Structure formats: structure tokens, C-alpha cells
Coordinates of all heavy atoms in Angstrom, one line a residue:
M1 N 23.0 -34.9 -37.1 CA 24.3 -35.0 -37.8 C 24.7 -36.5 -37.7 O 24.5 -37.1 -36.7 CB 25.3 -34.1 -37.2 CG 26.7 -34.2 -37.8 SD 27.8 -33.0 -37.2 CE 29.3 -33.5 -38.0
D2 N 25.2 -37.0 -38.8 CA 25.7 -38.4 -38.8 C 27.2 -38.4 -38.6 O 27.9 -37.4 -38.8 CB 25.4 -39.1 -40.2 CG 23.9 -39.3 -40.4 OD1 23.2 -39.6 -39.4 OD2 23.5 -39.2 -41.6
C3 N 27.7 -39.5 -38.1 CA 29.1 -39.7 -37.9 C 29.8 -39.6 -39.2 O 29.3 -40.1 -40.2 CB 29.4 -41.0 -37.2 SG 29.0 -41.1 -35.5
R4 N 31.0 -39.0 -39.2 CA 31.9 -38.9 -40.4 C 32.5 -40.3 -40.6 O 33.0 -40.9 -39.7 CB 33.0 -37.9 -40.2 CG 33.9 -37.7 -41.3 CD 35.0 -36.7 -41.0 NE 34.4 -35.4 -40.8 CZ 34.4 -34.7 -39.6 NH1 35.0 -35.3 -38.6 NH2 33.8 -33.6 -39.5
P5 N 32.4 -40.9 -41.8 CA 32.9 -42.2 -42.1 C 34.4 -42.2 -41.7 O 35.2 -41.3 -42.0 CB 32.7 -42.4 -43.6 CG 31.6 -41.5 -43.9 CD 31.7 -40.3 -43.0
A6 N 34.8 -43.3 -41.1 CA 36.2 -43.6 -40.8 C 36.8 -42.5 -39.8 O 38.0 -42.3 -39.8 CB 37.1 -43.8 -42.0
C7 N 36.0 -41.9 -39.0 CA 36.6 -40.9 -38.1 C 37.0 -41.5 -36.8 O 38.2 -41.6 -36.5 CB 35.5 -39.8 -37.8 SG 36.1 -38.6 -36.6
A8 N 36.1 -42.0 -36.0 CA 36.3 -42.7 -34.8 C 37.0 -41.9 -33.7 O 37.5 -42.4 -32.7 CB 37.1 -44.0 -35.0
A9 N 37.0 -40.6 -33.9 CA 37.7 -39.7 -32.9 C 37.1 -39.9 -31.5 O 37.8 -40.0 -30.5 CB 37.6 -38.2 -33.3
C10 N 35.8 -40.1 -31.4 CA 35.1 -40.2 -30.1 C 35.4 -41.6 -29.5 O 35.1 -41.8 -28.3 CB 33.6 -40.0 -30.2 SG 32.8 -41.1 -31.3
C11 N 36.0 -42.5 -30.2 CA 36.4 -43.8 -29.8 C 37.9 -44.0 -29.5 O 38.3 -45.0 -29.1 CB 36.0 -44.9 -30.8 SG 34.2 -44.9 -31.1
I12 N 38.6 -42.9 -29.7 CA 40.0 -42.8 -29.5 C 40.4 -41.7 -28.5 O 41.1 -42.0 -27.5 CB 40.8 -42.6 -30.8 CG1 40.4 -43.8 -31.8 CG2 42.3 -42.5 -30.6 CD1 40.9 -43.5 -33.2
A13 N 40.0 -40.5 -28.7 CA 40.4 -39.4 -28.0 C 40.1 -39.4 -26.5 O 40.9 -39.2 -25.6 CB 40.0 -38.1 -28.6
P14 N 38.8 -39.6 -26.1 CA 38.5 -39.5 -24.7 C 38.8 -40.8 -23.9 O 38.9 -41.9 -24.4 CB 37.0 -39.3 -24.7 CG 36.5 -40.0 -25.9 CD 37.6 -39.8 -26.9
S15 N 39.0 -40.6 -22.6 CA 39.2 -41.7 -21.7 C 37.8 -42.3 -21.4 O 36.8 -41.5 -21.5 CB 39.9 -41.4 -20.4 OG 39.1 -40.4 -19.7
I16 N 37.7 -43.5 -21.1 CA 36.4 -44.1 -20.7 C 36.7 -44.9 -19.4 O 37.5 -45.8 -19.4 CB 35.8 -45.0 -21.8 CG1 35.5 -44.2 -23.1 CG2 34.6 -45.7 -21.3 CD1 35.1 -45.0 -24.3
S17 N 36.0 -44.6 -18.3 CA 36.3 -45.2 -17.1 C 35.5 -46.4 -16.8 O 35.8 -47.3 -16.0 CB 36.1 -44.2 -15.9 OG 34.8 -43.7 -15.9
S18 N 34.4 -46.6 -17.6 CA 33.6 -47.8 -17.4 C 34.1 -49.0 -18.2 O 34.8 -48.8 -19.2 CB 32.1 -47.5 -17.7 OG 32.0 -47.0 -19.0
P19 N 33.7 -50.2 -17.8 CA 34.2 -51.4 -18.5 C 33.7 -51.4 -20.0 O 32.6 -51.0 -20.3 CB 33.6 -52.5 -17.8 CG 33.3 -52.0 -16.4 CD 32.9 -50.6 -16.6
I20 N 34.5 -51.9 -20.8 CA 34.2 -52.1 -22.3 C 34.6 -53.6 -22.5 O 35.6 -54.0 -22.0 CB 35.0 -51.2 -23.2 CG1 34.9 -49.7 -22.8 CG2 34.7 -51.5 -24.6 CD1 35.9 -48.8 -23.4
P21 N 33.8 -54.4 -23.2 CA 34.2 -55.7 -23.5 C 35.6 -55.7 -24.2 O 35.8 -55.0 -25.2 CB 33.1 -56.3 -24.4 CG 31.9 -55.5 -24.0 CD 32.4 -54.1 -23.7
G22 N 36.5 -56.4 -23.6 CA 37.9 -56.5 -24.1 C 38.8 -55.4 -23.5 O 40.0 -55.4 -23.7
M23 N 38.2 -54.5 -22.7 CA 38.9 -53.4 -22.0 C 38.2 -53.2 -20.7 O 37.5 -52.2 -20.4 CB 38.9 -52.1 -22.8 CG 39.6 -52.2 -24.1 SD 39.6 -50.6 -25.0 CE 41.3 -50.2 -24.8
E24 N 38.2 -54.2 -19.8 CA 37.4 -54.2 -18.6 C 37.7 -53.1 -17.7 O 36.8 -52.7 -16.9 CB 37.5 -55.6 -17.9 CG 36.7 -56.7 -18.5 CD 37.1 -57.1 -19.9 OE1 38.3 -57.0 -20.2 OE2 36.3 -57.5 -20.7
G25 N 38.9 -52.5 -17.7 CA 39.2 -51.4 -16.9 C 39.0 -50.1 -17.6 O 39.4 -49.0 -17.1
G26 N 38.2 -50.1 -18.7 CA 38.0 -48.9 -19.5 C 39.2 -48.6 -20.4 O 40.0 -49.6 -20.7
K27 N 39.3 -47.4 -20.9 CA 40.5 -47.1 -21.7 C 41.0 -45.7 -21.5 O 40.2 -44.8 -21.2 CB 40.1 -47.2 -23.2 CG 39.2 -46.2 -23.8 CD 39.1 -46.3 -25.3 CE 39.1 -44.9 -25.9 NZ 40.1 -44.0 -25.7
P28 N 42.3 -45.5 -21.6 CA 42.9 -44.2 -21.4 C 42.6 -43.3 -22.6 O 42.4 -43.8 -23.7 CB 44.4 -44.4 -21.2 CG 44.6 -45.9 -21.5 CD 43.3 -46.5 -21.7
A29 N 42.7 -42.0 -22.4 CA 42.6 -41.0 -23.5 C 43.7 -41.3 -24.5 O 44.8 -41.7 -24.2 CB 42.7 -39.6 -23.0
G30 N 43.3 -41.2 -25.8 CA 44.2 -41.4 -26.9 C 44.5 -42.8 -27.3 O 45.2 -43.0 -28.3
V31 N 43.8 -43.7 -26.7 CA 44.0 -45.1 -27.0 C 42.8 -45.6 -27.8 O 41.6 -45.3 -27.4 CB 44.1 -46.0 -25.7 CG1 44.1 -47.5 -26.1 CG2 45.4 -45.6 -25.0
R32 N 43.0 -46.3 -28.9 CA 41.9 -46.8 -29.7 C 41.1 -47.9 -29.0 O 41.7 -48.8 -28.4 CB 42.6 -47.4 -31.0 CG 41.6 -48.0 -32.0 CD 42.4 -48.6 -33.2 NE 41.6 -49.2 -34.1 CZ 40.9 -48.6 -35.1 NH1 41.0 -47.3 -35.2 NH2 40.1 -49.3 -35.8
C33 N 39.8 -47.8 -29.0 CA 39.0 -48.8 -28.4 C 39.1 -50.1 -29.2 O 39.1 -50.1 -30.4 CB 37.5 -48.3 -28.4 SG 36.4 -49.5 -27.6
V34 N 39.1 -51.2 -28.4 CA 39.3 -52.5 -29.1 C 38.0 -52.9 -29.8 O 38.0 -53.8 -30.6 CB 39.6 -53.6 -28.1 CG1 41.0 -53.4 -27.5 CG2 38.5 -53.8 -27.1
Q35 N 36.9 -52.2 -29.6 CA 35.6 -52.5 -30.2 C 35.4 -51.8 -31.6 O 34.4 -51.9 -32.2 CB 34.5 -52.2 -29.3 CG 34.4 -53.1 -28.1 CD 34.3 -54.5 -28.5 OE1 33.7 -54.9 -29.5 NE2 34.8 -55.4 -27.7
L36 N 36.5 -51.0 -32.0 CA 36.4 -50.5 -33.4 C 36.8 -51.5 -34.4 O 37.8 -52.2 -34.2 CB 37.4 -49.3 -33.5 CG 37.0 -48.0 -32.9 CD1 38.1 -47.0 -32.9 CD2 35.7 -47.4 -33.5
D37 N 36.0 -51.6 -35.4 CA 36.3 -52.6 -36.5 C 37.3 -52.0 -37.5 O 37.8 -50.9 -37.3 CB 35.0 -53.1 -37.1 CG 34.3 -52.1 -38.0 OD1 34.8 -51.1 -38.3 OD2 33.1 -52.4 -38.4
E38 N 37.6 -52.8 -38.5 CA 38.6 -52.3 -39.5 C 38.1 -51.1 -40.3 O 38.9 -50.5 -41.0 CB 38.9 -53.5 -40.5 CG 37.8 -54.1 -41.3 CD 36.8 -55.0 -40.5 OE1 37.2 -55.5 -39.4 OE2 35.7 -55.2 -41.0
T39 N 36.8 -50.8 -40.3 CA 36.4 -49.5 -40.9 C 36.1 -48.4 -40.0 O 35.4 -47.5 -40.3 CB 35.1 -49.8 -41.8 OG1 34.0 -50.3 -40.9 CG2 35.4 -50.9 -42.9
D40 N 36.6 -48.6 -38.7 CA 36.4 -47.6 -37.7 C 35.0 -47.4 -37.3 O 34.5 -46.3 -36.9 CB 37.1 -46.2 -38.0 CG 38.6 -46.3 -38.0 OD1 39.1 -47.1 -37.2 OD2 39.2 -45.5 -38.7
R41 N 34.2 -48.5 -37.2 CA 32.8 -48.5 -36.8 C 32.8 -49.3 -35.5 O 33.5 -50.2 -35.3 CB 31.9 -49.1 -37.8 CG 32.0 -48.6 -39.2 CD 31.3 -47.3 -39.4 NE 29.9 -47.4 -39.3 CZ 29.1 -46.4 -39.4 NH1 29.5 -45.2 -39.6 NH2 27.8 -46.6 -39.3
C42 N 31.9 -48.8 -34.6 CA 31.8 -49.5 -33.3 C 31.1 -50.8 -33.4 O 29.9 -50.9 -33.9 CB 31.0 -48.6 -32.3 SG 30.8 -49.3 -30.7
R43 N 31.7 -51.9 -32.9 CA 31.1 -53.2 -32.9 C 30.0 -53.3 -31.9 O 29.1 -54.2 -31.9 CB 32.1 -54.3 -32.6 CG 33.1 -54.5 -33.7 CD 34.1 -55.6 -33.3 NE 35.1 -55.8 -34.3 CZ 36.3 -55.4 -34.3 NH1 36.7 -54.7 -33.2 NH2 37.2 -55.6 -35.2
L44 N 29.9 -52.4 -30.9 CA 28.9 -52.4 -29.8 C 27.8 -51.5 -30.0 O 26.9 -51.4 -29.2 CB 29.6 -52.1 -28.5 CG 30.6 -53.1 -28.0 CD1 31.3 -52.6 -26.7 CD2 30.0 -54.4 -27.8
F45 N 27.7 -50.8 -31.2 CA 26.6 -49.9 -31.4 C 25.3 -50.6 -31.3 O 25.1 -51.7 -32.0 CB 26.8 -49.2 -32.8 CG 25.9 -48.0 -33.0 CD1 26.3 -46.8 -32.5 CD2 24.7 -48.1 -33.6 CE1 25.5 -45.7 -32.7 CE2 23.9 -47.0 -33.7 CZ 24.3 -45.8 -33.3
G46 N 24.4 -50.2 -30.5 CA 23.1 -50.8 -30.3 C 23.2 -52.0 -29.3 O 22.1 -52.6 -29.0
D47 N 24.3 -52.3 -28.8 CA 24.5 -53.4 -27.8 C 24.4 -52.9 -26.4 O 25.0 -51.8 -26.1 CB 25.9 -54.0 -28.1 CG 26.2 -55.3 -27.3 OD1 25.9 -55.3 -26.0 OD2 26.7 -56.2 -27.8
P48 N 23.7 -53.5 -25.5 CA 23.6 -53.0 -24.1 C 24.9 -53.0 -23.4 O 25.0 -52.3 -22.4 CB 22.6 -54.0 -23.5 CG 22.5 -55.2 -24.3 CD 22.9 -54.7 -25.7
R49 N 25.9 -53.7 -23.8 CA 27.2 -53.7 -23.2 C 28.0 -52.4 -23.5 O 29.0 -52.1 -22.9 CB 28.0 -54.9 -23.6 CG 27.4 -56.2 -23.1 CD 28.1 -57.4 -23.7 NE 28.2 -57.3 -25.1 CZ 29.1 -57.9 -25.9 NH1 30.0 -58.7 -25.3 NH2 29.1 -57.8 -27.2
R50 N 27.5 -51.6 -24.5 CA 28.2 -50.4 -24.9 C 28.1 -49.4 -23.7 O 27.1 -49.2 -23.2 CB 27.5 -49.8 -26.1 CG 28.2 -48.6 -26.7 CD 27.5 -48.1 -27.9 NE 28.1 -47.0 -28.5 CZ 27.5 -46.0 -29.1 NH1 26.1 -46.0 -29.1 NH2 28.1 -45.0 -29.6
P51 N 29.3 -48.8 -23.3 CA 29.3 -47.9 -22.2 C 28.3 -46.7 -22.4 O 28.2 -46.2 -23.5 CB 30.7 -47.4 -22.1 CG 31.5 -48.5 -22.7 CD 30.7 -49.1 -23.8
T52 N 27.6 -46.3 -21.4 CA 26.7 -45.2 -21.5 C 27.3 -43.9 -22.0 O 26.7 -43.2 -22.8 CB 26.1 -44.9 -20.1 OG1 25.5 -46.1 -19.6 CG2 25.1 -43.8 -20.1
V53 N 28.6 -43.7 -21.6 CA 29.3 -42.5 -22.0 C 29.4 -42.5 -23.6 O 29.3 -41.4 -24.2 CB 30.6 -42.3 -21.3 CG1 31.6 -43.3 -21.8 CG2 31.2 -40.9 -21.6
C54 N 29.6 -43.6 -24.2 CA 29.7 -43.7 -25.6 C 28.5 -43.2 -26.3 O 28.5 -42.5 -27.3 CB 30.1 -45.1 -26.0 SG 31.6 -45.7 -25.4
G55 N 27.3 -43.6 -25.8 CA 26.0 -43.2 -26.4 C 25.7 -41.7 -26.2 O 25.0 -41.2 -26.9
S56 N 26.4 -41.2 -25.2 CA 26.2 -39.7 -24.9 C 27.0 -38.8 -25.8 O 26.7 -37.6 -25.8 CB 26.5 -39.4 -23.4 OG 27.8 -39.4 -23.2
L57 N 27.9 -39.3 -26.5 CA 28.7 -38.5 -27.4 C 28.1 -38.5 -28.8 O 28.6 -39.1 -29.7 CB 30.2 -39.1 -27.5 CG 31.1 -38.8 -26.3 CD1 32.4 -39.6 -26.5 CD2 31.3 -37.3 -26.2
A58 N 27.1 -37.7 -28.9 CA 26.4 -37.6 -30.2 C 27.2 -36.7 -31.1 O 27.7 -35.6 -30.7 CB 25.0 -37.1 -30.0
P59 N 27.3 -37.0 -32.4 CA 28.0 -36.1 -33.3 C 27.4 -34.7 -33.4 O 26.1 -34.6 -33.4 CB 28.0 -36.8 -34.7 CG 26.9 -37.8 -34.5 CD 26.7 -38.1 -33.1
S60 N 28.2 -33.7 -33.4 CA 27.7 -32.3 -33.6 C 28.8 -31.5 -34.3 O 29.9 -31.9 -34.3 CB 27.5 -31.7 -32.2 OG 28.7 -31.5 -31.6
P61 N 28.3 -30.5 -35.0 CA 29.3 -29.6 -35.7 C 30.4 -29.1 -34.8 O 31.6 -29.1 -35.2 CB 28.5 -28.5 -36.2 CG 27.1 -29.1 -36.4 CD 27.0 -30.0 -35.2
Q62 N 30.1 -28.8 -33.5 CA 31.1 -28.3 -32.6 C 32.1 -29.4 -32.3 O 33.3 -29.1 -32.3 CB 30.4 -27.8 -31.3 CG 31.4 -27.3 -30.3 CD 30.8 -26.9 -29.0 OE1 29.6 -27.2 -28.8 NE2 31.5 -26.2 -28.2
M63 N 31.7 -30.6 -32.0 CA 32.6 -31.7 -31.6 C 33.3 -32.2 -32.8 O 34.6 -32.4 -32.7 CB 31.8 -32.8 -30.9 CG 32.7 -34.0 -30.5 SD 31.9 -35.3 -29.6 CE 31.1 -36.2 -31.0
C64 N 32.7 -32.4 -33.9 CA 33.3 -33.0 -35.0 C 34.1 -32.1 -35.9 O 35.0 -32.6 -36.6 CB 32.2 -33.7 -35.9 SG 31.3 -35.0 -34.9
G65 N 33.8 -30.8 -35.9 CA 34.5 -29.9 -36.8 C 34.4 -30.3 -38.2 O 33.4 -30.9 -38.6
T66 N 35.4 -29.9 -39.0 CA 35.3 -30.2 -40.5 C 36.1 -31.4 -40.9 O 36.1 -31.8 -42.1 CB 35.8 -29.0 -41.3 OG1 37.1 -28.6 -40.9 CG2 34.8 -27.8 -41.0
H67 N 36.9 -32.0 -40.0 CA 37.7 -33.2 -40.3 C 38.1 -33.9 -39.0 O 37.9 -33.4 -37.9 CB 38.9 -32.8 -41.1 CG 39.7 -31.6 -40.5 ND1 40.6 -31.8 -39.4 CD2 39.7 -30.3 -40.8 CE1 41.1 -30.6 -39.1 NE2 40.5 -29.7 -39.9
R68 N 38.6 -35.1 -39.2 CA 38.9 -36.0 -38.0 C 39.8 -35.3 -37.1 O 39.7 -35.4 -35.9 CB 39.4 -37.3 -38.6 CG 39.8 -38.3 -37.4 CD 40.3 -39.6 -38.0 NE 40.4 -40.6 -37.0 CZ 41.5 -41.1 -36.6 NH1 42.7 -40.8 -37.2 NH2 41.6 -42.0 -35.7
E69 N 40.9 -34.7 -37.6 CA 41.9 -34.1 -36.7 C 41.2 -33.0 -35.8 O 41.6 -32.8 -34.7 CB 43.0 -33.5 -37.5 CG 43.9 -34.6 -38.2 CD 43.2 -35.2 -39.4 OE1 42.3 -34.6 -40.0 OE2 43.6 -36.4 -39.7
A70 N 40.3 -32.2 -36.4 CA 39.6 -31.2 -35.6 C 38.8 -31.9 -34.4 O 38.8 -31.4 -33.3 CB 38.7 -30.4 -36.4
A71 N 38.2 -33.0 -34.7 CA 37.4 -33.8 -33.7 C 38.3 -34.3 -32.6 O 38.1 -34.2 -31.4 CB 36.6 -34.9 -34.3
M72 N 39.5 -34.9 -33.1 CA 40.5 -35.4 -32.1 C 40.9 -34.3 -31.2 O 41.0 -34.4 -30.0 CB 41.6 -36.0 -32.8 CG 41.3 -37.3 -33.6 SD 41.0 -38.7 -32.5 CE 42.7 -39.1 -31.9
R73 N 41.2 -33.1 -31.7 CA 41.7 -32.0 -31.0 C 40.7 -31.5 -30.0 O 40.9 -31.3 -28.8 CB 42.2 -30.9 -31.9 CG 42.9 -29.8 -31.3 CD 43.6 -28.8 -32.3 NE 42.8 -28.5 -33.5 CZ 43.0 -29.0 -34.7 NH1 44.0 -29.8 -35.0 NH2 42.2 -28.6 -35.7
W74 N 39.4 -31.3 -30.4 CA 38.3 -30.9 -29.6 C 38.1 -31.8 -28.4 O 37.9 -31.4 -27.3 CB 37.0 -30.7 -30.4 CG 35.9 -30.0 -29.7 CD1 35.7 -28.6 -29.7 CD2 34.9 -30.5 -28.9 NE1 34.6 -28.3 -29.0 CE2 34.1 -29.5 -28.5 CE3 34.6 -31.8 -28.5 CZ2 33.0 -29.7 -27.6 CZ3 33.5 -32.0 -27.7 CH2 32.7 -30.9 -27.3
L75 N 38.1 -33.1 -28.7 CA 37.8 -34.1 -27.7 C 39.0 -34.2 -26.7 O 38.8 -34.4 -25.5 CB 37.5 -35.5 -28.3 CG 36.2 -35.6 -28.9 CD1 36.1 -36.7 -29.9 CD2 35.1 -35.7 -27.9
A76 N 40.2 -34.0 -27.2 CA 41.4 -34.0 -26.3 C 41.4 -32.8 -25.4 O 41.7 -32.9 -24.2 CB 42.7 -34.0 -27.2
D77 N 41.0 -31.7 -25.9 CA 40.8 -30.5 -25.1 C 39.7 -30.7 -24.0 O 39.9 -30.3 -22.9 CB 40.5 -29.2 -25.9 CG 41.6 -28.8 -26.8 OD1 42.8 -29.2 -26.6 OD2 41.4 -27.9 -27.7
L78 N 38.6 -31.3 -24.4 CA 37.6 -31.6 -23.5 C 38.0 -32.5 -22.4 O 37.7 -32.4 -21.2 CB 36.3 -32.2 -24.2 CG 35.1 -32.5 -23.3 CD1 34.5 -31.2 -22.7 CD2 34.1 -33.2 -24.2
E79 N 38.8 -33.5 -22.8 CA 39.4 -34.5 -21.8 C 40.3 -33.7 -20.8 O 40.1 -33.9 -19.6 CB 40.3 -35.5 -22.6 CG 40.9 -36.5 -21.7 CD 40.0 -37.6 -21.2 OE1 38.9 -37.8 -21.8 OE2 40.3 -38.2 -20.1
T80 N 41.1 -32.8 -21.2 CA 41.9 -32.0 -20.3 C 41.1 -31.1 -19.4 O 41.4 -31.1 -18.2 CB 42.9 -31.2 -21.2 OG1 43.7 -32.0 -22.0 CG2 43.8 -30.3 -20.3
L81 N 40.1 -30.5 -20.0 CA 39.3 -29.6 -19.2 C 38.4 -30.3 -18.1 O 38.1 -29.7 -17.1 CB 38.4 -28.8 -20.1 CG 39.0 -27.7 -21.0 CD1 38.1 -27.2 -22.0 CD2 39.6 -26.6 -20.1
T82 N 38.1 -31.5 -18.3 CA 37.2 -32.3 -17.4 C 38.0 -33.3 -16.5 O 37.4 -34.0 -15.8 CB 36.1 -33.0 -18.2 OG1 36.7 -33.9 -19.1 CG2 35.2 -32.0 -18.9
A83 N 39.3 -33.3 -16.7 CA 40.1 -34.3 -15.9 C 40.1 -33.9 -14.4 O 40.1 -32.7 -14.1 CB 41.5 -34.3 -16.4
P84 N 40.0 -34.9 -13.5 CA 40.1 -34.6 -12.1 C 41.4 -33.9 -11.7 O 42.4 -34.1 -12.4 CB 40.0 -36.0 -11.4 CG 39.6 -36.9 -12.4 CD 39.9 -36.3 -13.8
A85 N 41.3 -33.0 -10.8 CA 42.5 -32.2 -10.3 C 43.5 -33.1 -9.7 O 43.3 -34.1 -9.1 CB 42.1 -31.1 -9.4

């Protein structure tokens, strides 16, 4: 499955604890990654500085749903379910 154009849910909804260029402390859930360009594409795609967790979020029908809002909701739910106690 390919990413949905202009979705970027996986670059906004989840928290990322590892450093990202421009966000050295990572990013909180629900915050847009600074590495998204004006068309919601990752500037670090294929770059070794891209966090490993980002590469592990491969698009899938379950995660992406039928629209961006479904993906945001699914990822937000996953964030809640996997948050430390």
C-alpha cells in the first residue's frame, strides 16, 4: 500500500521519542513533525537521520483506514494504548 497523498497522519499523531533534525527531543503526540514539507511529504524519507520508528510505520489498510481522519484516530488510539503507565 502506498501513502495517501497529503495525509501525514503518521507524522502528526504519534509521539516520537528519538531525535529528529529540528526536533532534537523528539515530538509529542499530535504535533506536526518539522520535517513535513508543504505537501505533507517527509523531507527525511530515505535519509539515515530519519528516526527508525518512522520507517517502521508502513501504510496499511488497518492503520490508514479510508481517509486521513481515520488514520489520525487509529494512531491516536495506538498512542494511548502503548503509553507508559
Side-chain angles (χ1 to χ4, degrees):
M1 180 173 175
D2 292 328
C3 287
R4 181 180 297 112
C7 176
C10 61
C11 301
I12 300 168
S15 62
I16 298 175
S17 58
S18 55
I20 303 165
M23 298 179 106
E24 281 67 28
K27 71 166 218 61
V31 172
R32 181 181 174 84
C33 179
V34 298
Q35 293 300 330
L36 284 172
D37 69 15
E38 61 283 344
T39 63
D40 288 333
R41 308 284 291 179
C42 178
R43 290 183 182 101
L44 295 177
F45 195 84
D47 186 314
R49 298 175 300 157
R50 184 177 181 219
T52 303
V53 69
C54 297
S56 71
L57 284 173
S60 70
Q62 180 183 12
M63 181 175 78
C64 300
T66 58
H67 48 81
R68 179 178 191 244
E69 291 74 24
M72 291 288 288
R73 193 169 39 254
W74 192 90
L75 287 161
D77 289 346
L78 183 64
E79 180 73 26
T80 300
L81 291 169
T82 59

